[in-house]
Amino acid sequence: MAIDYTQRIPNNVDLSSDRRLQRALENWQPRFLDWWKDMGPDGAMNFDVYLRTAISAEANGWANFGCVKMPDYRWGIFLAGQDPNRVIAYGDNKGKPAWQEVPGELRSTLRRLIVTQGDTEPASVEQQRLLGKTAPSLYDLRNLFQINCEEGRHLWAMVYLLHAYFGRDGREEAEMLLERHSGDPDKPRILGAFNEKTPDWLSFFMFTYFTDRDGKYQLASLAESGFDPLARSCRFMLIEEAHHMFVGESGVQRIVQRTCDLMKEHKTDDVRSLGAIDLATMQKYLNFHFSVSLDLFGQEASTNAANYYTMGVKGRYLETRIEDDHVLTDSTFDMDTAEANRIVRKTVPALSALNERLRNDYVEDCAKGLLRWNKVIADAGITFELKLPHRAFNRRIGAFAELSVTPDGKVVSEAEWKAGESKWLPTPEDRAYVTSLMGPAVVEPGKFANWIAPPQRGVNNQPANFEYVRFN
């Protein structure tokens, strides 16, 4: 499905056929650009950046690459192709044609889901706006800017739905997406993880590995929505999202590689003295970002998730590949929960455990990256293993929020947890050390900061010394 780039707002939804909608979005566009200049990558608006831009909504051959100034990036509205025979795959509406308009009784529910998803997109741009000043290479700087631009486009995807299907309420919600800001004490972003700071590149890589992976699972669930325009929007967003998680996984792996190389070369565990990030500190950052991201899935037992599923507005991950009745009225699910200050295993109705099932899928996916990171460590002959902490560790939302749980899943007293916290989570001193490594951006093509290894290959098969960003 080709994208029309002749219009002011590139799109593949025939926007010009709806003049009222087109004018509304064209009125929102300059506000978005003002937000981008104020809250997007700081000091980078005149750089020429080697970016990929969507040219099609198909999975193959969907983008091209070229140098673009970020304010000139062609943000637009791109939906995956429509299946005219698509039916709702689950819930009470199973087997009925997918909705092309919003059912009146689901209006507020769908609007809330779209706003919550939309709010995460500009939030991550705001969290990362200063990172470019300490980029470890032009390669990494380019990847940061690519992610920022695509998060901006994902905001456009949700804003289109709000404008096109939710009338005045939708337009007001679209305005609010630009008025809330990450970490703002008066108007913070909706979800807690998107109000955390991303002050350094280790945090950035952990964020894009763990928190963007939560985004993958939320988008995949919404891609099963009975509201077809939302499902099609999310299916295309997932194509772009894959790169964001790759940046996180490969970024952490490159830090691990550099640390292991220095440990072998100098026959020491004290890599801090060599200007690198020790493996124990990486584990602490991993513990923090994983646990914060787990909270994004919500309560383990959730009436809202059950209702979303029964209504047909939000499904499970890869819903149509699951072999069951897709109604779940009589199905059960085994999960861990908290009871009498203990972690216990319970069998609960499957409908109430949909958040936890999605969290399980997420945890299994996260573990795959750790296998690759640990292979680097093992290949270096180093006795250390990065591990995912127990899902009850450091939780602020859900059944485990009131428990003090160690990374290996032991319930302890609050005093014991406080005594061990500095071993499990980054301390102010840890963060200060990592920040101290974030010197001025490395801007010479082919050069990398001391604490990170080069990538195995360049973007779009470019050579190692390619000029990914040109400073003007």
Side-chain angles (χ1 to χ4, degrees), residues 225-237:
S225 179
F227 179 41
D228 202 43
L230 173 59
R232 292 168 57 208
S233 293
C234 292
R235 288 206 303 275
F236 185 74
M237 290 165 70

Side-chain angles (χ1 to χ4, degrees), residues 75-279:
W75 287 286
I77 301 158
F78 314 139
L79 277 64
Q82 183 177 10
D83 176 2
N85 300 314
R86 180 174 179 251
V87 298
I88 301 169
Y90 56 91
D92 287 350
N93 293 299
K94 177 185 173 184
K96 296 180 181 178
W99 308 305
Q100 302 306 319
E101 298 292 336
V102 178
E105 69 276 13
L106 301 180
R107 187 177 182 84
S108 63
T109 298
L110 280 164
R111 187 179 71 235
R112 187 185 317 120
L113 286 170
I114 291 167
V115 168
T116 301
Q117 180 63 47
D119 193 72
T120 68
E121 314 295 354
S124 61
V125 176
E126 293 167 350
Q127 289 173 300
Q128 298 158 13
R129 70 182 306 263
L130 299 178
L131 281 177
K133 296 181 179 299
T134 58
S137 72
L138 288 185
Y139 168 87
D140 292 294
L141 184 61
R142 177 265 167 206
N143 282 342
L144 168 68
F145 292 159
Q146 182 71 64
I147 289 173
N148 292 161
C149 286
E150 289 178 348
E151 300 292 16
R153 204 211 64 74
H154 294 179
L155 170 62
W156 269 95
M158 297 297 105
V159 165
Y160 162 73
L161 296 175
L162 290 170
H163 274 270
Y165 296 98
F166 294 91
R168 180 178 177 179
D169 290 345
R171 293 191 294 273
E172 290 176 353
E173 293 283 13
E175 294 295 328
M176 285 299 298
L177 290 172
L178 299 178
E179 293 177 11
R180 288 186 292 270
H181 299 304
S182 179
D184 188 308
D186 299 317
K187 292 184 178 180
R189 291 297 177 181
I190 294 170
L191 300 176
F194 291 90
N195 290 301
E196 298 284 350
K197 293 182 179 179
T198 309
D200 59 73
W201 281 77
L202 178 57
S203 296
F204 170 68
F205 291 134
M206 291 290 183
F207 180 96
T208 48
Y209 185 76
F210 287 111
T211 306
D212 279 340
R213 192 167 305 275
D214 162 77
K216 165 188 170 180
Y217 282 86
Q218 300 299 338
L219 289 174
S221 297
L222 292 172
E224 304 286 350
S225 179
F227 179 41
D228 202 43
L230 173 59
R232 292 168 57 208
S233 293
C234 292
R235 288 206 303 275
F236 185 74
M237 290 165 70
L238 282 165
I239 297 174
E240 294 176 314
E241 196 77 19
H243 174 258
H244 307 182
M245 292 179 290
F246 164 79
V247 168
E249 180 178 331
S250 62
V252 174
Q253 185 163 325
R254 290 163 54 214
I255 298 174
V256 170
Q257 182 70 65
R258 179 59 176 159
T259 294
C260 290
D261 288 346
L262 288 170
M263 290 173 70
K264 285 178 60 180
E265 180 183 351
H266 295 273
K267 296 180 173 56
T268 182
D269 293 337
D270 182 21
V271 294
R272 286 196 177 192
S273 65
L274 303 172
I277 303 173
D278 53 289
L279 296 173

Side-chain angles (χ1 to χ4, degrees), residues 401-436:
E402 302 302 319
L403 292 186
S404 297
V405 182
T406 65
D408 60 3
K410 181 182 178 183
V411 178
V412 296
S413 69
E414 184 176 354
E416 289 175 298
W417 200 92
K418 285 292 184 184
E421 184 177 6
S422 63
K423 295 184 296 185
W424 305 325
L425 291 171
T427 63
E429 293 76 19
D430 292 327
R431 293 190 182 279
Y433 173 71
V434 173
T435 299
S436 75

